[in-house]
Amino acid sequence: VWITCQPGGYVGFLRGLASALDMVDSDEGALDVALRSRGPALVVIDDANLLVRPMIGGLDDLDRAMAFALRIGGTTTWALAISKHTWHFLRLARSDRALFDRVIDLPRWNEQQLTELTRSRAAAAGITPRFDELVVPRQLDASPYKTEERAERDYHRILWDYADGNPRVALHWWRESLFERGGEVCVRLFKTVPVEGTEPVPGS
């Protein structure tokens, strides 16, 4: 059972679970019965960081979701995908209590892997993005490569650094970088946004 958490904390979690189980009713009792009736199951909660807010009382929604999971018990296994920054906050806030049986840190992708990822996605979409109109910061404009090749390398270096090696975040900014001009797909440097007052990219 694959749940993609929705905004709305615990209520959003229940809605996501109901959707994953093809149910209209997101009542706790109905979901409890539905999960127990499935027998052995693996429940994956993606974007579980949406259950956590870095503030006093910000773990209440996660606590309610975990209490629900414990009530199901039996042969149901739960796996949560949590962003790096949320995990740091959670670990500091709950250093005295073990929430999970096992924690797996996914390694950061390197620059070459992200480059191959964007190229494969472009090929799958049937497009050949052009980098010849890309303007990069002046301090990066020193390379033995040809102009467009240099621009592509510099772009992916910036993308890798800004995404912190996270492929999902990198793909988000890759999409934001593409635009059409004269029937061709071109690449420009994505516009970052100030951190204050904004929501993080899901899965970051």
PDB file of all heavy atoms in Angstrom, residues 53-81:
ATOM      1  N   ARG A  53       6.010  19.429  11.679  1.00  0.00           N
ATOM      2  CA  ARG A  53       6.236  20.866  11.570  1.00  0.00           C
ATOM      3  C   ARG A  53       7.275  21.267  12.605  1.00  0.00           C
ATOM      4  O   ARG A  53       7.150  20.878  13.775  1.00  0.00           O
ATOM      5  CB  ARG A  53       4.937  21.642  11.811  1.00  0.00           C
ATOM      6  CG  ARG A  53       3.889  21.451  10.715  1.00  0.00           C
ATOM      7  CD  ARG A  53       2.578  22.099  11.116  1.00  0.00           C
ATOM      8  NE  ARG A  53       2.010  21.457  12.307  1.00  0.00           N
ATOM      9  CZ  ARG A  53       1.026  21.985  13.037  1.00  0.00           C
ATOM     10  NH1 ARG A  53       0.529  23.161  12.728  1.00  0.00           N
ATOM     11  NH2 ARG A  53       0.564  21.328  14.098  1.00  0.00           N
ATOM     12  N   PRO A  54       8.292  22.031  12.211  1.00  0.00           N
ATOM     13  CA  PRO A  54       9.360  22.406  13.154  1.00  0.00           C
ATOM     14  C   PRO A  54       8.909  23.489  14.122  1.00  0.00           C
ATOM     15  O   PRO A  54       9.308  24.644  14.025  1.00  0.00           O
ATOM     16  CB  PRO A  54      10.476  22.888  12.223  1.00  0.00           C
ATOM     17  CG  PRO A  54       9.740  23.410  11.025  1.00  0.00           C
ATOM     18  CD  PRO A  54       8.553  22.519  10.851  1.00  0.00           C
ATOM     19  N   MET A  55       8.060  23.115  15.063  1.00  0.00           N
ATOM     20  CA  MET A  55       7.532  24.056  16.040  1.00  0.00           C
ATOM     21  C   MET A  55       7.033  23.271  17.257  1.00  0.00           C
ATOM     22  O   MET A  55       6.972  22.038  17.222  1.00  0.00           O
ATOM     23  CB  MET A  55       6.374  24.857  15.430  1.00  0.00           C
ATOM     24  CG  MET A  55       5.244  23.979  14.908  1.00  0.00           C
ATOM     25  SD  MET A  55       3.935  24.885  14.052  1.00  0.00           S
ATOM     26  CE  MET A  55       3.218  25.776  15.418  1.00  0.00           C
ATOM     27  N   ILE A  56       6.686  23.966  18.316  1.00  0.00           N
ATOM     28  CA  ILE A  56       6.133  23.305  19.501  1.00  0.00           C
ATOM     29  C   ILE A  56       4.818  22.640  19.107  1.00  0.00           C
ATOM     30  O   ILE A  56       3.939  23.259  18.515  1.00  0.00           O
ATOM     31  CB  ILE A  56       5.912  24.322  20.633  1.00  0.00           C
ATOM     32  CG1 ILE A  56       7.254  24.895  21.093  1.00  0.00           C
ATOM     33  CG2 ILE A  56       5.184  23.658  21.809  1.00  0.00           C
ATOM     34  CD1 ILE A  56       7.139  25.983  22.139  1.00  0.00           C
ATOM     35  N   GLY A  57       4.698  21.351  19.425  1.00  0.00           N
ATOM     36  CA  GLY A  57       3.504  20.608  19.037  1.00  0.00           C
ATOM     37  C   GLY A  57       3.526  20.133  17.600  1.00  0.00           C
ATOM     38  O   GLY A  57       2.546  19.562  17.113  1.00  0.00           O
ATOM     39  N   GLY A  58       4.667  20.330  16.936  1.00  0.00           N
ATOM     40  CA  GLY A  58       4.758  19.988  15.519  1.00  0.00           C
ATOM     41  C   GLY A  58       4.849  18.506  15.224  1.00  0.00           C
ATOM     42  O   GLY A  58       4.821  18.107  14.051  1.00  0.00           O
ATOM     43  N   LEU A  59       4.975  17.675  16.266  1.00  0.00           N
ATOM     44  CA  LEU A  59       5.050  16.229  16.067  1.00  0.00           C
ATOM     45  C   LEU A  59       3.716  15.534  16.361  1.00  0.00           C
ATOM     46  O   LEU A  59       3.631  14.307  16.292  1.00  0.00           O
ATOM     47  CB  LEU A  59       6.142  15.627  16.953  1.00  0.00           C
ATOM     48  CG  LEU A  59       7.573  16.102  16.668  1.00  0.00           C
ATOM     49  CD1 LEU A  59       8.546  15.442  17.632  1.00  0.00           C
ATOM     50  CD2 LEU A  59       7.964  15.808  15.231  1.00  0.00           C
ATOM     51  N   ASP A  60       2.696  16.312  16.689  1.00  0.00           N
ATOM     52  CA  ASP A  60       1.410  15.719  17.066  1.00  0.00           C
ATOM     53  C   ASP A  60       0.826  14.853  15.950  1.00  0.00           C
ATOM     54  O   ASP A  60       0.319  13.751  16.207  1.00  0.00           O
ATOM     55  CB  ASP A  60       0.407  16.813  17.444  1.00  0.00           C
ATOM     56  CG  ASP A  60       0.792  17.519  18.742  1.00  0.00           C
ATOM     57  OD1 ASP A  60       1.691  17.014  19.443  1.00  0.00           O
ATOM     58  OD2 ASP A  60       0.195  18.574  19.044  1.00  0.00           O
ATOM     59  N   ASP A  61       0.879  15.342  14.705  1.00  0.00           N
ATOM     60  CA  ASP A  61       0.294  14.584  13.596  1.00  0.00           C
ATOM     61  C   ASP A  61       1.056  13.286  13.349  1.00  0.00           C
ATOM     62  O   ASP A  61       0.453  12.238  13.080  1.00  0.00           O
ATOM     63  CB  ASP A  61       0.277  15.430  12.315  1.00  0.00           C
ATOM     64  CG  ASP A  61      -0.718  16.578  12.394  1.00  0.00           C
ATOM     65  OD1 ASP A  61      -1.822  16.357  12.931  1.00  0.00           O
ATOM     66  OD2 ASP A  61      -0.401  17.680  11.922  1.00  0.00           O
ATOM     67  N   LEU A  62       2.388  13.348  13.445  1.00  0.00           N
ATOM     68  CA  LEU A  62       3.184  12.125  13.286  1.00  0.00           C
ATOM     69  C   LEU A  62       2.877  11.143  14.410  1.00  0.00           C
ATOM     70  O   LEU A  62       2.746   9.939  14.166  1.00  0.00           O
ATOM     71  CB  LEU A  62       4.670  12.464  13.268  1.00  0.00           C
ATOM     72  CG  LEU A  62       5.617  11.266  13.151  1.00  0.00           C
ATOM     73  CD1 LEU A  62       5.439  10.570  11.812  1.00  0.00           C
ATOM     74  CD2 LEU A  62       7.072  11.701  13.337  1.00  0.00           C
ATOM     75  N   ASP A  63       2.757  11.646  15.630  1.00  0.00           N
ATOM     76  CA  ASP A  63       2.437  10.775  16.762  1.00  0.00           C
ATOM     77  C   ASP A  63       1.098  10.072  16.550  1.00  0.00           C
ATOM     78  O   ASP A  63       0.945   8.882  16.850  1.00  0.00           O
ATOM     79  CB  ASP A  63       2.398  11.585  18.056  1.00  0.00           C
ATOM     80  CG  ASP A  63       3.779  12.006  18.526  1.00  0.00           C
ATOM     81  OD1 ASP A  63       4.767  11.376  18.090  1.00  0.00           O
ATOM     82  OD2 ASP A  63       3.868  12.957  19.320  1.00  0.00           O
ATOM     83  N   ARG A  64       0.111  10.785  16.027  1.00  0.00           N
ATOM     84  CA  ARG A  64      -1.198  10.185  15.789  1.00  0.00           C
ATOM     85  C   ARG A  64      -1.116   9.123  14.701  1.00  0.00           C
ATOM     86  O   ARG A  64      -1.741   8.053  14.799  1.00  0.00           O
ATOM     87  CB  ARG A  64      -2.216  11.266  15.407  1.00  0.00           C
ATOM     88  CG  ARG A  64      -2.514  12.252  16.512  1.00  0.00           C
ATOM     89  CD  ARG A  64      -3.474  13.328  16.055  1.00  0.00           C
ATOM     90  NE  ARG A  64      -4.807  12.788  15.789  1.00  0.00           N
ATOM     91  CZ  ARG A  64      -5.801  13.494  15.243  1.00  0.00           C
ATOM     92  NH1 ARG A  64      -5.594  14.758  14.881  1.00  0.00           N
ATOM     93  NH2 ARG A  64      -6.980  12.943  15.044  1.00  0.00           N
ATOM     94  N   ALA A  65      -0.322   9.395  13.658  1.00  0.00           N
ATOM     95  CA  ALA A  65      -0.164   8.411  12.583  1.00  0.00           C
ATOM     96  C   ALA A  65       0.543   7.161  13.102  1.00  0.00           C
ATOM     97  O   ALA A  65       0.166   6.030  12.757  1.00  0.00           O
ATOM     98  CB  ALA A  65       0.612   9.019  11.422  1.00  0.00           C
ATOM     99  N   MET A  66       1.561   7.344  13.950  1.00  0.00           N
ATOM    100  CA  MET A  66       2.278   6.206  14.498  1.00  0.00           C
ATOM    101  C   MET A  66       1.401   5.413  15.470  1.00  0.00           C
ATOM    102  O   MET A  66       1.476   4.187  15.539  1.00  0.00           O
ATOM    103  CB  MET A  66       3.553   6.677  15.200  1.00  0.00           C
ATOM    104  CG  MET A  66       4.613   7.264  14.264  1.00  0.00           C
ATOM    105  SD  MET A  66       5.219   6.089  13.026  1.00  0.00           S
ATOM    106  CE  MET A  66       4.128   6.443  11.632  1.00  0.00           C
ATOM    107  N   ALA A  67       0.562   6.115  16.224  1.00  0.00           N
ATOM    108  CA  ALA A  67      -0.359   5.425  17.127  1.00  0.00           C
ATOM    109  C   ALA A  67      -1.354   4.594  16.332  1.00  0.00           C
ATOM    110  O   ALA A  67      -1.696   3.464  16.718  1.00  0.00           O
ATOM    111  CB  ALA A  67      -1.095   6.450  17.997  1.00  0.00           C
ATOM    112  N   PHE A  68      -1.790   5.118  15.202  1.00  0.00           N
ATOM    113  CA  PHE A  68      -2.698   4.369  14.327  1.00  0.00           C
ATOM    114  C   PHE A  68      -1.997   3.113  13.812  1.00  0.00           C
ATOM    115  O   PHE A  68      -2.573   2.026  13.805  1.00  0.00           O
ATOM    116  CB  PHE A  68      -3.140   5.255  13.155  1.00  0.00           C
ATOM    117  CG  PHE A  68      -4.002   4.554  12.153  1.00  0.00           C
ATOM    118  CD1 PHE A  68      -5.369   4.439  12.352  1.00  0.00           C
ATOM    119  CD2 PHE A  68      -3.448   4.007  10.999  1.00  0.00           C
ATOM    120  CE1 PHE A  68      -6.175   3.787  11.422  1.00  0.00           C
ATOM    121  CE2 PHE A  68      -4.238   3.355  10.069  1.00  0.00           C
ATOM    122  CZ  PHE A  68      -5.613   3.239  10.279  1.00  0.00           C
ATOM    123  N   ALA A  69      -0.737   3.258  13.386  1.00  0.00           N
ATOM    124  CA  ALA A  69       0.021   2.115  12.870  1.00  0.00           C
ATOM    125  C   ALA A  69       0.200   1.050  13.939  1.00  0.00           C
ATOM    126  O   ALA A  69       0.076  -0.156  13.664  1.00  0.00           O
ATOM    127  CB  ALA A  69       1.384   2.588  12.361  1.00  0.00           C
ATOM    128  N   LEU A  70       0.465   1.470  15.177  1.00  0.00           N
ATOM    129  CA  LEU A  70       0.643   0.508  16.265  1.00  0.00           C
ATOM    130  C   LEU A  70      -0.661  -0.229  16.582  1.00  0.00           C
ATOM    131  O   LEU A  70      -0.650  -1.409  16.937  1.00  0.00           O
ATOM    132  CB  LEU A  70       1.156   1.229  17.511  1.00  0.00           C
ATOM    133  CG  LEU A  70       2.619   1.708  17.457  1.00  0.00           C
ATOM    134  CD1 LEU A  70       2.949   2.554  18.676  1.00  0.00           C
ATOM    135  CD2 LEU A  70       3.560   0.517  17.358  1.00  0.00           C
ATOM    136  N   ARG A  71      -1.771   0.471  16.420  1.00  0.00           N
ATOM    137  CA  ARG A  71      -3.057  -0.183  16.673  1.00  0.00           C
ATOM    138  C   ARG A  71      -3.325  -1.285  15.650  1.00  0.00           C
ATOM    139  O   ARG A  71      -3.922  -2.309  15.964  1.00  0.00           O
ATOM    140  CB  ARG A  71      -4.201   0.835  16.633  1.00  0.00           C
ATOM    141  CG  ARG A  71      -4.277   1.740  17.834  1.00  0.00           C
ATOM    142  CD  ARG A  71      -5.648   2.368  17.975  1.00  0.00           C
ATOM    143  NE  ARG A  71      -6.081   3.079  16.789  1.00  0.00           N
ATOM    144  CZ  ARG A  71      -5.794   4.359  16.548  1.00  0.00           C
ATOM    145  NH1 ARG A  71      -5.062   5.042  17.419  1.00  0.00           N
ATOM    146  NH2 ARG A  71      -6.235   4.946  15.466  1.00  0.00           N
ATOM    147  N   ILE A  72      -2.882  -1.058  14.410  1.00  0.00           N
ATOM    148  CA  ILE A  72      -3.083  -2.077  13.370  1.00  0.00           C
ATOM    149  C   ILE A  72      -2.295  -3.326  13.741  1.00  0.00           C
ATOM    150  O   ILE A  72      -2.795  -4.444  13.713  1.00  0.00           O
ATOM    151  CB  ILE A  72      -2.641  -1.560  11.992  1.00  0.00           C
ATOM    152  CG1 ILE A  72      -3.438  -0.321  11.602  1.00  0.00           C
ATOM    153  CG2 ILE A  72      -2.790  -2.649  10.935  1.00  0.00           C
ATOM    154  CD1 ILE A  72      -4.921  -0.547  11.467  1.00  0.00           C
ATOM    155  N   GLY A  73      -1.009  -3.108  14.115  1.00  0.00           N
ATOM    156  CA  GLY A  73      -0.172  -4.211  14.583  1.00  0.00           C
ATOM    157  C   GLY A  73      -0.156  -5.381  13.615  1.00  0.00           C
ATOM    158  O   GLY A  73      -0.144  -5.229  12.388  1.00  0.00           O
ATOM    159  N   GLY A  74      -0.160  -6.584  14.178  1.00  0.00           N
ATOM    160  CA  GLY A  74      -0.214  -7.797  13.365  1.00  0.00           C
ATOM    161  C   GLY A  74       0.937  -7.918  12.399  1.00  0.00           C
ATOM    162  O   GLY A  74       2.093  -7.704  12.749  1.00  0.00           O
ATOM    163  N   THR A  75       0.618  -8.255  11.168  1.00  0.00           N
ATOM    164  CA  THR A  75       1.644  -8.515  10.157  1.00  0.00           C
ATOM    165  C   THR A  75       1.835  -7.339   9.206  1.00  0.00           C
ATOM    166  O   THR A  75       2.394  -7.500   8.122  1.00  0.00           O
ATOM    167  CB  THR A  75       1.255  -9.761   9.338  1.00  0.00           C
ATOM    168  OG1 THR A  75      -0.051  -9.553   8.773  1.00  0.00           O
ATOM    169  CG2 THR A  75       1.256 -10.998  10.217  1.00  0.00           C
ATOM    170  N   THR A  76       1.365  -6.156   9.584  1.00  0.00           N
ATOM    171  CA  THR A  76       1.530  -4.970   8.741  1.00  0.00           C
ATOM    172  C   THR A  76       2.841  -4.267   9.086  1.00  0.00           C
ATOM    173  O   THR A  76       3.104  -3.958  10.242  1.00  0.00           O
ATOM    174  CB  THR A  76       0.368  -3.983   8.931  1.00  0.00           C
ATOM    175  OG1 THR A  76      -0.862  -4.632   8.598  1.00  0.00           O
ATOM    176  CG2 THR A  76       0.534  -2.768   8.039  1.00  0.00           C
ATOM    177  N   THR A  77       3.664  -4.050   8.066  1.00  0.00           N
ATOM    178  CA  THR A  77       4.937  -3.344   8.230  1.00  0.00           C
ATOM    179  C   THR A  77       4.797  -1.941   7.647  1.00  0.00           C
ATOM    180  O   THR A  77       4.238  -1.765   6.566  1.00  0.00           O
ATOM    181  CB  THR A  77       6.067  -4.093   7.504  1.00  0.00           C
ATOM    182  OG1 THR A  77       6.190  -5.411   8.059  1.00  0.00           O
ATOM    183  CG2 THR A  77       7.394  -3.360   7.640  1.00  0.00           C
ATOM    184  N   TRP A  78       5.328  -0.960   8.358  1.00  0.00           N
ATOM    185  CA  TRP A  78       5.226   0.433   7.931  1.00  0.00           C
ATOM    186  C   TRP A  78       6.613   0.974   7.595  1.00  0.00           C
ATOM    187  O   TRP A  78       7.568   0.765   8.338  1.00  0.00           O
ATOM    188  CB  TRP A  78       4.603   1.290   9.028  1.00  0.00           C
ATOM    189  CG  TRP A  78       3.198   0.877   9.388  1.00  0.00           C
ATOM    190  CD1 TRP A  78       2.830  -0.204  10.138  1.00  0.00           C
ATOM    191  CD2 TRP A  78       1.991   1.527   8.984  1.00  0.00           C
ATOM    192  NE1 TRP A  78       1.461  -0.263  10.224  1.00  0.00           N
ATOM    193  CE2 TRP A  78       0.910   0.779   9.542  1.00  0.00           C
ATOM    194  CE3 TRP A  78       1.699   2.655   8.229  1.00  0.00           C
ATOM    195  CZ2 TRP A  78      -0.416   1.138   9.357  1.00  0.00           C
ATOM    196  CZ3 TRP A  78       0.382   3.031   8.041  1.00  0.00           C
ATOM    197  CH2 TRP A  78      -0.666   2.271   8.596  1.00  0.00           C
ATOM    198  N   ALA A  79       6.700   1.674   6.465  1.00  0.00           N
ATOM    199  CA  ALA A  79       7.951   2.320   6.062  1.00  0.00           C
ATOM    200  C   ALA A  79       7.654   3.776   5.724  1.00  0.00           C
ATOM    201  O   ALA A  79       6.699   4.065   4.995  1.00  0.00           O
ATOM    202  CB  ALA A  79       8.558   1.613   4.847  1.00  0.00           C
ATOM    203  N   LEU A  80       8.443   4.702   6.265  1.00  0.00           N
ATOM    204  CA  LEU A  80       8.234   6.130   6.045  1.00  0.00           C
ATOM    205  C   LEU A  80       9.411   6.726   5.286  1.00  0.00           C
ATOM    206  O   LEU A  80      10.567   6.444   5.615  1.00  0.00           O
ATOM    207  CB  LEU A  80       8.080   6.876   7.375  1.00  0.00           C
ATOM    208  CG  LEU A  80       6.751   6.780   8.110  1.00  0.00           C
ATOM    209  CD1 LEU A  80       6.509   5.381   8.659  1.00  0.00           C
ATOM    210  CD2 LEU A  80       6.696   7.799   9.238  1.00  0.00           C
ATOM    211  N   ALA A  81       9.124   7.536   4.289  1.00  0.00           N
ATOM    212  CA  ALA A  81      10.155   8.293   3.584  1.00  0.00           C
ATOM    213  C   ALA A  81      10.104   9.729   4.105  1.00  0.00           C
ATOM    214  O   ALA A  81       9.092  10.408   3.968  1.00  0.00           O
ATOM    215  CB  ALA A  81       9.907   8.266   2.071  1.00  0.00           C
TER     216      ALA A  81
END
